[in-house]
Amino acid sequence: FLYYARAIDSTMLPTLSTISTSTNHHPYAILKAKIDHFLDYVATHPDATLEYVASEMHLWSHTDASYLNAPKARSRAGGYHFLSDKPNLPITPDSPHPSPNA
């Protein structure tokens, strides 16, 4: 599932991370419930796809990271990525924020 989650359906990554870090400190019944819930999601949404289309848009990213935000976990990084219009350069702190998905 890790390859599929990284390559196609990134919505699976937080759940896979949670399951992998909870194998040592949760009872089997709780772990089994988490795995069953994840497998139900995978079975319900089997046709995830990525589609790339050429356009005049730019990719913007806002990222952040945290450390020890779940039991037995290490650092976790995340981000919000969206497409918007081409910015007016140079970008200054007073520049208007880009509109998501233009």
Side-chain angles (χ1 to χ4, degrees), residues 30-73:
I30 294 174
L31 183 60
K32 184 179 181 313
K34 288 182 180 187
I35 292 171
D36 288 344
H37 188 265
F38 172 73
L39 292 175
D40 287 343
Y41 172 81
V42 172
T44 304
H45 305 284
D47 299 324
T49 59
L50 293 177
E51 182 178 347
Y52 298 99
V53 178
S55 70
E56 296 295 321
M57 304 189 90
H58 285 238
L59 178 65
W60 291 76
S61 296
H62 297 177
T63 59
D64 198 2
S66 64
Y67 182 69
L68 294 176
N69 61 338
K72 302 287 184 181

Side-chain angles (χ1 to χ4, degrees), residues 81-102:
H81 311 287
F82 60 95
L83 295 171
S84 188
D85 295 326
K86 182 178 178 181
N88 295 325
L89 299 176
I91 299 174
T92 64
D94 297 332
S95 298
H97 294 289
S99 59
N101 299 325

